[in-house]
Amino acid sequence: MMDPATTQLGKMLLDEITPVVMVLRTSLVEESCLKNGLSLAQMLSPFCNFTNIDVPVRTASDQPYRLHKFKLRLFYESDIRQPNLEVSKERLKQVIAQAGEKDFSELGSDPPQISNVVGRSESEILPSWFQIFNKELIHTVSFSEHEAFDHPVACLLVVSSQDEQPINKFVDLFNTNKMPSLINDGAMDPKIMKHYLLVHDNQVGSSEKATKVLSEMKSTFGPNDCHLLCINSSQDGEMEHQDNPWASYKSDASPSQRLGCFLNIDDFNEIKDLMQELTSKHVIPYMEQKIRALNQQVSATRKGFRNQIKNLWWRKGKEDTLDSSNGPMYTFSSIESQIRILGDYAFMLRDYELALSNYRLISTDYKLDKAWKRYAGVQEMMGLAYFMLDQSRKEAEYCMENAFSTYLKIGSSGQQNATRCGLWWVEMLRTRDQYKEAATVYFRICNEEPLHSAVMLEQASYCYLLSKPPMLNKYGFHLVLSGDRYKKCDQIKHAIRTYRSAVSVYKGTTWSHIKDHVHFHIGQWYAFLGMYDVAVAHMLEVLACSHQSKTTQELYLRDFLQTVQKTGKTFEVLKLQLPIVNVSSLKVFFEDHRTYASAAAASVRESLWSLLEEDIIPSLSTARSNWLELQSKLIPKQYKESNICVAGEAVKVNIEFKNPLQIPISLSSVTLICELSPKSDEANTDACNSTIELQKEEELRSSTAIGDMSSGVSSLTLSEADVLLESGEAILVQLTVTPKVEGILKIIGVRWKLSGSVVGLYNFDTTVVKKKIAKGRQRTKSSPINDLKFLVIKSLPKLEGFIRHLPERAYAGDLRHLVLELKNPSEISVKNLKMKISHPRLLCVGKQDELMKKIPACLERKTVAEQSGALGNSRKMPQALFVFPEDITVHGNTPLLWPLWFRAAVPGNISLLITIYYEIGNMSSFIKYRTLRMSYNLQVLPSLNVTYQISPCPLRLQQFLVHMDILNQTSSESFQIQQLSAVGDQWEISLLQPFDVIFPSNSLFTGQALSCFFILKNHGKLVTSKDESSSLSPPLPGSDVNLQGSNDMLIDVSCSPLADFHNCERSQGVSSQDDTNTVDFILISRLPKTDGVSNSQKLFSHHACHCSTLSTSPITWLIDGPQTTHHNFNVSFCQISLRMTLHNSSDTVANVCVNTFDSPSGSDQSSGASTTQSSVPSGNQSGWYEVRALPEIKVTSSIPRIEVGKSSLPLPESVSPFIWSGSSATSVRLEPKSTAKIPLAICVFSPGTYDLSNYSLNWNLLGVNDQGSKEATTQSSGTCQGYPYFLTVLQSA
């Protein structure tokens, strides 16, 4: 450790605990000194601090040592008294106020960043005025009666040579009536060393009189105690001292005042010599002598075993006295006071060992006398002595803790002493880098005086910052506590300073409440000082305080708006936090060659549209010079990265505003910030590049719409919106900008007005924008500014379209007739129309002559003549791409109407996409075509669940029994079953029994099920792949069944659109069987009449395709045998017989082979447990899978191990616990529709539960020809694994 004298605490002790010299002077002396702007004490004080005095000192020991640094403190007799507490507080307040004024100039700058503060040295971090404040705080307890280091050790009597009868003046000056109260009250010895000084003012006269008076003084007071000091030797008063020594002692001096202006170099040196001689030849020797005399006295009366016993006996019984702060009254002549004086004198002369020994001696006396204030003072000096000796840190801290606690125990009278003790204790800890402990002491120093507490808390915060590692949270928290107390004492500037330092601590943290508190109060205090701009900047940080209570949010917003109003101007804020702009929701919708019929269509992903439009948009390979190549030639090079929009067509921007507060907020005049400038030529490329740079903040604030067109008319139109956001509400606002002329359009940002007072601005340039990019124009690199820059081209025709009566919700199978309507407001026609549909299963394009058709009349079965005319109009299935006739054009106000057929194919939420391609005629533009994109979201609800089961008839060939189950899955609708059709001319279907017998009610209500049976006949007419198109030719009369039992016309399922939709349904799946063995069904239903009104126009078709007529797999089997048996394994192994029953349900001969295999060695099955092997059939295998429930059986046995035969040894691991006995493979030939039984047996060697599934069954089916010869014509085979069969064998008694 460094020398304690060089530390901050050591310097404080050498400055504060030094000998005091009482100065007594006449008024003429003071007048002579005031000519220099100084009092006598101020003039002499700079020369009382000696940095190299080199004086030998010998105290109680015989070993001398030398003093190199020493200081005297000069005080007038009137100042040697305990300071007035109120005056001291006012002085401290003045020190703090002056410091605040000096630091106020820095409050307008940005607060320091915590990263720049951490790691700095203590001298760089701590404000310089802390030392001044702490020094003033220590001075508040000066001249206490129980501390001798503030008692004068000498008296300097000063008389002017101009005084009448100077000798008498010296005598009169030491009049007891003018002495300090410490002397008059007996606390201090009046017999102190006296030194006599005669001051001569050279401006008044010569020094002859002064010399004569000096002679008289020496004869009266002694030659060694008298001195003459001549001052004011400069006659003109123009002396300037480069390093003015009096500046630090004259704190109230003005900068223009010249201190010591009449003191020349001779005066300067004479004063210096005088004070050095007074110190080295008078004060220090006097203190040495005093120490030796007191030490002898104390040694004689208190030291030694006998004196200690005597002292304790004398003080016996004082424990019963009442506590008091000072205890009994001690005069200067009491032995306790003499010991304290001895200790303090030794401390001031740096003999810390002697001082410590005497402090220890008197400490016990004060404790026994319950003189707690004196006891605490001695403990305080002991701690300081330990520190200066650099001994026992633990003892030093113990003494300081003891002194501090004792001062606080006294009460208010000891509070100031506790503060001084705490300050010295803090410096002791800081010297040893114990900053965390020092901060704790600072916190304990805080008393009821808020201003003192504020300074102490601030100093504590810096201790936390300087600790290793830095405790940043506590640093910020104590800064906030300090600032709060500064505010209570009206020290606004200090409060701002501490809160600004705390801002950097909590920046970027999740401590939202304390961040809001700091920013809001800084804003309030800046507003109080009239610095409204800075106040608003801080209040902006707390506007989006969603975590605060509703009351707090109202307070923040109200004060913010009031502060803005006090500025007297429209306040524009970049990135205003209220409301929150959800940049992730930012979407830009614009139309180039792609146009949208609705907002829903614009929100669909571009990849879906690109995939849908692959077949209709001209590809790059179609022509050597297509529109994309033309575009690259016509667009200037600097605009190739821009998006394209059309003049007169709006660019839409979706942006979400969210209110994070619990109170409503209003937004008005919400609009985009845009710029539209003309296209520059190639020669002005550099100038153009400069215009597309990011907007500066002042440019962003300048205006909402910037138009550089020379016409003087606004070149673009902006939409405005007013929004009221309720508590926590988020609203997606769509804003538009419509350019009117060609040029370059840039969308810069968005602006709004909050509560009619503050304009908020948000710049989009740094935002990643979601937008549409056409295929073929995707860029490898895209900057955010280019996403919001558009090349505006001249106006183009735009097709508008919608589908009439398309339902948003429908039941599955719903069949409707719709109309597509297209309009072109422009007089320029569009041609070569094409339409692509994403779900042709739902939407089918009709013919133009079907525009006026109505359902169900247009679907009813026609006469034979009409049918023959309609055959040529049937189509295979709906196509996704439809090409309009070449002669069709759209322009003006004449709409184009085209029929569409709609069928809700499957339940679910379906996004139906439609794109219409059209070309622009007679127009010189690099965009030669455009597309109209239409999107509809449909919800298809379940209606009827129809299932079919087909079984062959055993008595007749080519005849089947069809079991149809219908379940109404709707929640509120009823249906009437109208018709069932078997598709194809080879099928004939009929009811097994009348429908009114099966279903007397005409309606199938909600949740109701219906089962009915039909006879299906196959007329044997096979259809080859070449004749597939004729499968939907007019059916036989028996292919449709009317299920209403009335004369209602049947629906013709062989004509459009039912035939088209059915072919589409067939294409959805591939039949696993040959078409000759499958049949398709179409069930027609409708809604019943409601209140006498028919709903027959609502028709539903339910399609079932590829229903197989083949039978299932033919072979089944079953194992019979015991489930549980008992056997004595001590005698022999157990043999068990089983039986397998096989059945061939097919019409052909079957060869069946049963293979058994033993359990592998590594899979022994223990008692009570089994391993189940999978027996799920694959391919054509089948069988019964019966597992009987076994009763819970508790097995008990006295046999400790499983025995086989008579052996007591356990089975080897390689031996299976059971084996199949008999043949390992058994083959059997099964005739059609026959049954066979096979005997099986196993041998079990130990008790347990076993799974007998370790076998397989292989079967082959053989076809037989008409002559009865065996020939493998339609051979079929399969393999089945054994299913689980559990057998439990128990040990018998």
Side-chain angles (χ1 to χ4, degrees):
M1 179 180 173
M2 66 178 68
D3 182 10
T6 61
T7 63
Q8 183 64 32
L9 177 58
K11 294 177 182 178
M12 290 177 63
L13 296 178
L14 296 180
D15 191 58
E16 298 297 330
I17 304 181
T18 57
V20 173
V21 176
M22 180 172 62
V23 180
L24 302 175
R25 83 288 187 203
T26 62
S27 59
L28 290 179
V29 173
E30 199 71 16
E31 290 177 5
S32 298
C33 295
L34 289 176
K35 293 180 180 179
N36 297 282
L38 302 167
S39 66
L40 174 63
Q42 291 172 345
M43 184 179 70
L44 300 178
S45 291
F47 305 97
C48 296
N49 193 359
F50 307 100
T51 58
N52 191 17
I53 192 172
D54 196 18
V55 177
V57 177
R58 185 174 67 85
T59 55
S61 65
D62 295 333
Q63 185 67 32
Y65 59 93
R66 306 189 73 85
L67 290 179
H68 298 284
K69 294 182 180 181
F70 202 74
K71 178 183 179 181
L72 294 179
R73 292 181 291 161
L74 304 182
F75 290 95
Y76 293 135
E77 77 285 355
S78 59
D79 295 333
I80 300 179
R81 56 182 174 81
Q82 292 186 8
N84 182 275
L85 189 58
E86 295 301 325
V87 175
S88 299
K89 289 181 179 179
E90 193 62 31
R91 172 60 185 160
L92 291 170
K93 186 176 181 180
Q94 184 179 359
V95 171
I96 295 174
Q98 290 176 354
E101 293 296 334
K102 292 180 181 179
D103 296 339
F104 183 67
S105 59
E106 301 177 0
L107 298 184
S109 60
D110 294 333
Q113 298 297 320
I114 191 63
S115 58
N116 298 331
V117 177
V118 174
R120 290 185 180 180
S121 64
E122 183 175 342
S123 59
E124 293 177 317
I125 293 175
L126 295 179
S128 59
W129 63 271
F130 278 173
Q131 295 184 5
I132 301 174
F133 177 84
N134 293 341
K135 190 173 183 179
E136 291 293 335
L137 203 55
I138 291 174
H139 290 169
T140 59
V141 291
S142 299
F143 305 108
S144 300
E145 60 180 16
H146 67 288
E147 296 171 334
F149 54 77
D150 279 339
H151 296 177
V153 299
C155 180
L156 182 62
L157 295 94
V158 187
V159 175
S160 173
S161 62
Q162 302 301 317
D163 282 320
E164 296 181 359
Q165 299 179 352
I167 304 300
N168 294 336
K169 287 290 185 181
F170 281 114
V171 177
D172 293 340
L173 283 177
F174 206 76
N175 191 336
T176 55
N177 294 331
K178 298 181 180 180
M179 289 297 101
S181 60
L182 293 174
I183 296 179
N184 295 331
D185 296 340
M188 188 182 73
D189 188 359
K191 296 180 181 180
I192 58 177
M193 185 200 79
K194 300 180 182 65
H195 197 79
Y196 303 92
L197 177 63
L198 181 65
V199 175
H200 175 68
D201 189 349
N202 286 329
Q203 288 189 340
V204 177
S206 63
S207 60
E208 295 179 359
K209 180 181 178 181
T211 306
K212 187 183 296 184
V213 174
L214 179 63
S215 300
E216 295 180 7
M217 292 171 55
K218 290 182 178 181
S219 61
T220 304
F221 305 113
N224 296 328
D225 297 331
C226 298
H227 275 86
L228 173 64
L229 177 62
C230 297
I231 61 173
N232 298 337
S233 300
S234 175
Q235 299 298 322
D236 54 4
E238 297 295 332
M239 289 297 300
E240 293 187 6
H241 303 277
Q242 185 174 2
D243 296 328
N244 197 314
W246 299 284
S248 59
Y249 295 89
K250 185 73 172 177
S251 58
D252 57 346
S254 61
S256 60
Q257 186 178 6
R258 292 185 297 177
L259 302 179
C261 56
F262 287 97
L263 300 176
N264 61 12
I265 190 64
D266 295 331
D267 299 338
F268 194 94
N269 292 330
E270 190 172 349
I271 296 173
K272 182 178 180 181
D273 294 340
L274 168 67
M275 299 313 297
Q276 184 166 358
E277 182 178 351
L278 175 64
T279 303
S280 61
K281 294 183 179 181
H282 295 278
V283 175
I284 294 178
Y286 171 76
M287 295 179 69
E288 289 179 295
Q289 182 181 1
K290 185 79 170 178
I291 289 173
R292 288 194 291 269
L294 289 175
N295 187 59
Q296 292 178 1
Q297 180 184 353
V298 171
S299 298
T301 58
R302 293 297 307 277
K303 294 184 178 179
F305 181 75
R306 181 179 179 181
N307 290 330
Q308 292 180 15
I309 295 299
K310 181 180 178 181
N311 179 61
L312 291 175
W313 181 263
W314 179 75
R315 298 181 187 276
K316 185 179 181 182
K318 291 192 175 184
E319 296 88 351
D320 300 331
T321 60
L322 297 176
D323 287 352
S324 63
S325 61
N326 294 321
M329 181 62 186
Y330 299 96
T331 62
F332 70 90
S333 59
S334 64
I335 187 61
E336 293 85 1
S337 297
Q338 295 297 312
I339 297 174
R340 176 62 195 253
I341 292 173
L342 174 58
D344 287 348
Y345 274 36
F347 194 97
M348 288 187 287
L349 289 184
R350 321 287 170 75
D351 191 350
Y352 300 114
E353 290 283 359
L354 179 61
L356 182 60
S357 64
N358 284 278
Y359 289 147
R360 287 173 178 167
L361 184 64
I362 196 62
S363 176
T364 305
D365 294 346
Y366 285 146
K367 186 175 184 180
L368 292 175
D369 292 345
K370 297 186 178 180
W372 299 118
K373 193 169 186 179
R374 293 175 181 271
Y375 170 74
V378 172
Q379 290 289 317
E380 184 179 1
M381 295 305 296
M382 287 174 61
L384 297 177
Y386 276 120
F387 174 79
M388 297 304 293
L389 288 170
D390 195 15
Q391 295 178 358
S392 185
R393 292 185 179 184
K394 185 176 181 181
E395 288 292 336
E397 293 183 13
Y398 171 78
C399 291
M400 300 305 291
E401 170 69 36
N402 199 8
F404 186 81
S405 302
T406 305
Y407 278 133
L408 293 180
K409 178 181 177 182
I410 297 172
S412 59
S413 61
Q415 184 65 49
Q416 300 301 320
N417 295 87
T419 301
R420 182 193 65 184
C421 177
L423 291 175
W424 280 342
W425 188 9
V426 163
E427 293 298 334
M428 185 185 301
L429 295 172
R430 288 168 55 181
T431 301
R432 296 165 180 168
D433 293 334
Q434 295 177 274
Y435 289 103
K436 181 179 178 181
E437 293 77 6
T440 305
V441 178
Y442 270 129
F443 192 80
R444 295 173 65 184
I445 294 175
C446 298
N447 52 30
E448 297 178 358
E449 181 63 34
L451 189 56
H452 297 176
S453 299
V455 182
M456 295 305 153
L457 287 170
E458 186 178 1
Q459 294 188 76
S461 69
Y462 288 111
C463 287
Y464 285 120
L465 179 63
L466 292 168
S467 61
K468 302 297 181 182
M471 306 174 71
L472 298 181
N473 289 335
K474 288 193 174 183
Y475 165 64
F477 181 68
H478 282 74
L479 283 174
V480 174
L481 292 178
S482 173
D484 183 64
R485 284 167 171 76
Y486 277 131
K487 173 59 176 63
K488 291 179 179 178
C489 300
D490 296 329
Q491 297 291 335
I492 304 296
K493 297 173 183 177
H494 281 291
I496 293 176
R497 180 177 54 80
T498 53
Y499 268 47
R500 288 175 77 250
S501 299
V503 166
S504 61
V505 177
Y506 299 111
K507 184 178 181 181
T509 66
T510 57
W511 293 33
S512 303
H513 286 82
I514 195 167
K515 280 195 295 186
D516 292 346
H517 171 85
V518 170
H519 280 294
F520 176 69
H521 284 87
I522 291 178
Q524 277 190 324
W525 298 336
Y526 271 120
F528 179 80
L529 297 177
M531 302 175 65
Y532 296 111
D533 290 349
V534 187
V536 169
H538 281 279
M539 286 188 172
L540 284 171
E541 299 294 330
V542 302
L543 288 185
C545 52
S546 57
H547 48 274
Q548 297 285 0
S549 64
K550 182 178 180 180
T551 304
T552 304
Q553 292 173 0
E554 291 175 345
L555 172 66
Y556 285 176
L557 184 57
R558 182 177 66 250
D559 280 23
F560 170 73
L561 296 177
Q562 289 176 355
T563 303
V564 170
Q565 291 176 357
K566 290 178 182 178
T567 62
K569 60 181 180 181
T570 300
F571 214 93
E572 295 186 345
V573 180
L574 184 63
K575 292 190 177 179
L576 180 64
Q577 293 187 7
L578 201 63
I580 295 176
V581 179
N582 185 6
V583 294
S584 62
S585 69
L586 178 62
K587 293 184 179 180
V588 180
F589 302 97
F590 62 95
E591 297 177 327
D592 42 20
H593 69 280
R594 303 155 297 183
T595 64
Y596 301 94
S598 63
S603 62
V604 177
R605 296 197 309 270
E606 178 65 25
S607 59
L608 297 179
W609 289 119
S610 300
L611 184 63
L612 184 64
E613 295 171 353
E614 281 181 347
D615 298 337
I616 60 175
I617 291 181
S619 62
L620 292 175
S621 59
T622 55
R624 184 172 296 180
S625 180
N626 55 35
W627 80 270
L628 288 172
E629 294 178 350
L630 184 60
Q631 175 181 345
S632 63
K633 296 177 182 179
L634 295 180
I635 298 180
K637 181 180 180 181
Q638 64 268 30
Y639 302 125
K640 287 184 179 179
E641 294 297 320
S642 302
N643 303 305
I644 299 175
C645 64
V646 180
E649 297 182 7
V651 176
K652 301 175 183 179
V653 177
N654 283 0
I655 185 69
E656 184 182 78
F657 293 93
K658 181 178 181 180
N659 179 14
L661 306 182
Q662 303 177 37
I663 56 177
I665 60 174
S666 62
L667 307 180
S668 58
S669 302
V670 183
T671 185
L672 294 173
I673 306 173
C674 302
E675 176 183 337
L676 181 61
S677 57
K679 290 187 292 185
S680 60
D681 298 332
E682 286 291 333
N684 298 327
T685 300
D686 295 337
C688 180
N689 288 337
S690 65
T691 62
I692 63 173
E693 294 178 353
L694 291 175
Q695 291 290 313
K696 297 180 180 178
E697 184 174 327
E698 56 269 17
E699 293 176 349
L700 179 65
R701 292 173 171 169
S702 60
S703 66
T704 301
I706 307 173
D708 294 338
M709 304 303 175
S710 59
S711 62
V713 181
S714 177
S715 55
L716 52 82
T717 303
L718 296 169
S719 66
E720 286 191 2
D722 295 334
V723 180
L724 177 62
L725 292 172
E726 297 295 337
S727 170
E729 184 180 9
I731 295 180
L732 188 67
V733 179
Q734 185 173 86
L735 304 173
T736 63
V737 53
T738 305
K740 298 180 180 179
V741 293
E742 297 178 71
I744 299 299
L745 173 66
K746 288 192 293 183
I747 301 177
I748 301 172
V750 64
R751 66 184 292 150
W752 66 92
K753 184 174 287 188
L754 173 64
S755 299
S757 300
V758 184
V759 175
L761 307 171
Y762 194 92
N763 194 339
F764 290 155
D765 288 348
T766 58
T767 305
V768 177
V769 183
K770 298 178 182 179
K771 66 180 189 64
K772 306 292 182 180
I773 302 178
K775 183 179 179 181
R777 296 179 56 240
Q778 293 182 352
R779 299 182 289 270
T780 57
K781 294 183 179 180
S782 176
S783 62
I785 189 171
N786 286 333
D787 292 340
L788 297 167
K789 185 176 69 173
F790 299 87
L791 173 63
V792 184
I793 62 175
K794 63 181 180 180
S795 179
L796 295 174
K798 177 183 175 182
L799 203 60
E800 300 173 356
F802 69 97
I803 299 177
R804 296 179 182 176
H805 311 304
L806 178 65
E808 295 182 359
R809 176 183 298 180
Y811 287 103
D814 192 356
L815 189 65
R816 302 197 184 193
H817 179 263
L818 307 176
V819 176
L820 171 66
E821 181 175 341
L822 300 176
K823 288 184 179 180
N824 175 19
S826 174
E827 293 299 327
I828 302 175
S829 63
V830 297
K831 58 183 181 179
N832 297 335
L833 278 70
K834 304 176 186 178
M835 180 166 61
K836 184 75 173 291
I837 302 172
S838 63
H839 292 76
R841 191 177 179 187
L842 275 73
L843 203 63
C844 173
V845 182
K847 297 182 180 180
Q848 196 168 15
D849 57 1
E850 298 174 347
L851 185 62
M852 304 307 295
K853 289 186 176 181
K854 300 293 182 181
I855 290 180
C858 63
L859 301 177
E860 293 178 352
R861 179 177 295 174
K862 303 176 180 59
T863 62
V864 176
E866 291 174 332
Q867 288 182 15
S868 61
L871 287 177
N873 297 330
S874 62
R875 292 185 294 270
K876 294 183 180 180
M877 67 176 65
Q879 299 296 320
L881 177 61
F882 174 75
V883 180
F884 288 84
E886 294 183 0
D887 58 343
I888 290 182
T889 60
V890 184
H891 64 89
N893 295 321
T894 304
L896 172 64
L897 303 180
W898 202 268
L900 300 175
W901 295 100
F902 167 78
R903 178 181 175 270
V906 290
N909 296 320
I910 301 172
S911 178
L912 178 63
L913 304 181
I914 303 172
T915 183
I916 299 177
Y917 166 91
Y918 58 95
E919 297 179 0
I920 303 170
N922 302 324
M923 190 167 186
S924 58
S925 173
F926 59 83
I927 292 183
K928 297 299 183 182
Y929 75 87
R930 303 188 83 174
T931 58
L932 172 62
R933 295 172 171 180
M934 307 168 68
S935 174
Y936 296 94
N937 294 319
L938 309 177
Q939 183 182 13
V940 180
L941 303 176
S943 56
L944 297 181
N945 182 18
V946 186
T947 59
Y948 301 90
Q949 293 183 0
I950 304 176
S951 302
C953 181
L955 301 179
R956 294 192 179 93
L957 296 175
Q958 300 298 318
Q959 188 168 326
F960 305 89
L961 180 66
V962 179
H963 179 196
M964 181 179 69
D965 289 323
I966 306 175
L967 175 63
N968 185 351
Q969 296 179 310
T970 66
S971 59
S972 59
E973 294 291 343
S974 301
F975 293 89
Q976 287 184 347
I977 310 303
Q978 180 174 345
Q979 164 183 336
L980 177 64
S981 299
V983 180
D985 57 359
Q986 74 271 30
W987 299 105
E988 179 181 352
I989 189 170
S990 60
L991 276 168
L992 189 62
Q993 59 185 131
F995 190 78
D996 54 355
V997 175
I998 304 171
F999 190 56
S1001 173
N1002 290 328
S1003 297
L1004 191 64
F1005 299 101
T1006 300
Q1008 188 177 1
L1010 170 66
S1011 294
C1012 55
F1013 294 86
F1014 300 87
I1015 296 176
L1016 181 67
K1017 297 180 181 179
N1018 188 342
H1019 290 276
K1021 181 179 180 181
L1022 299 179
V1023 180
T1024 63
S1025 58
K1026 295 181 180 181
D1027 299 328
E1028 284 185 359
S1029 59
S1030 63
S1031 63
L1032 290 175
S1033 59
L1036 295 177
S1039 62
D1040 298 317
V1041 177
N1042 189 337
L1043 301 180
Q1044 284 296 316
S1046 61
N1047 295 326
D1048 291 347
M1049 293 293 292
L1050 293 174
I1051 301 299
D1052 190 354
V1053 299
S1054 63
C1055 296
S1056 177
L1058 282 175
D1060 301 333
F1061 283 125
H1062 185 74
N1063 279 335
C1064 190
E1065 292 297 324
R1066 286 183 59 85
S1067 67
Q1068 298 302 312
V1070 179
S1071 175
S1072 61
Q1073 303 287 341
D1074 187 8
D1075 284 344
T1076 58
N1077 296 316
T1078 63
V1079 61
D1080 297 349
F1081 296 103
I1082 300 178
L1083 179 69
I1084 306 297
S1085 64
R1086 65 177 64 188
L1087 296 180
K1089 296 181 179 180
T1090 304
D1091 297 332
V1093 180
S1094 175
N1095 287 323
S1096 60
Q1097 66 273 15
K1098 286 192 175 182
L1099 206 63
F1100 298 83
S1101 65
H1102 309 274
H1103 301 251
C1105 302
H1106 310 296
C1107 298
S1108 176
T1109 59
L1110 295 178
S1111 61
T1112 59
S1113 187
I1115 305 301
T1116 57
W1117 75 96
L1118 176 67
I1119 292 181
D1120 290 330
Q1123 296 292 318
T1124 304
T1125 185
H1126 293 76
H1127 183 76
N1128 187 359
F1129 289 94
N1130 293 327
V1131 178
S1132 65
F1133 58 84
C1134 179
Q1135 185 172 3
I1136 301 173
S1137 298
L1138 303 171
R1139 184 176 60 188
M1140 177 182 288
T1141 302
L1142 299 172
H1143 178 71
N1144 179 12
S1145 60
S1146 68
D1147 294 330
T1148 60
V1149 177
N1151 284 336
V1152 180
C1153 180
V1154 179
N1155 298 314
T1156 61
F1157 47 90
D1158 295 332
S1159 175
S1161 61
S1163 59
D1164 290 352
Q1165 304 179 35
S1166 61
S1167 176
S1170 62
T1171 302
T1172 304
Q1173 298 181 2
S1174 174
S1175 61
V1176 178
S1178 61
N1180 294 328
Q1181 65 184 358
S1182 65
W1184 297 297
Y1185 299 94
E1186 178 183 1
V1187 178
R1188 301 177 185 176
L1190 295 177
E1192 183 177 357
I1193 302 174
K1194 183 175 182 181
V1195 181
T1196 59
S1197 176
S1198 61
I1199 301 175
R1201 302 285 293 181
I1202 299 175
E1203 298 182 357
V1204 179
K1206 296 181 180 181
S1207 175
S1208 60
L1209 297 175
L1211 290 174
E1213 292 185 359
S1214 60
V1215 177
S1216 175
F1218 77 92
I1219 61 173
W1220 292 93
S1221 59
S1223 176
S1224 61
T1226 303
S1227 298
V1228 63
R1229 176 185 176 91
L1230 287 176
E1231 297 298 329
K1233 307 296 182 180
S1234 64
T1235 301
K1237 296 180 180 181
I1238 301 175
L1240 301 173
I1242 64 169
C1243 293
V1244 181
F1245 301 104
S1246 62
T1249 299
Y1250 304 100
D1251 181 8
L1252 307 183
S1253 61
N1254 49 346
Y1255 65 89
S1256 64
L1257 188 144
N1258 300 322
W1259 54 269
N1260 293 323
L1261 296 181
L1262 299 176
V1264 181
N1265 57 14
D1266 295 340
Q1267 287 76 20
S1269 63
K1270 298 177 181 179
E1271 181 181 359
T1273 56
T1274 59
Q1275 185 177 8
S1276 177
S1277 64
T1279 300
C1280 302
Q1281 298 296 328
Y1283 57 84
Y1285 178 85
F1286 295 96
L1287 172 65
T1288 301
V1289 183
L1290 302 178
Q1291 175 71 31
S1292 63

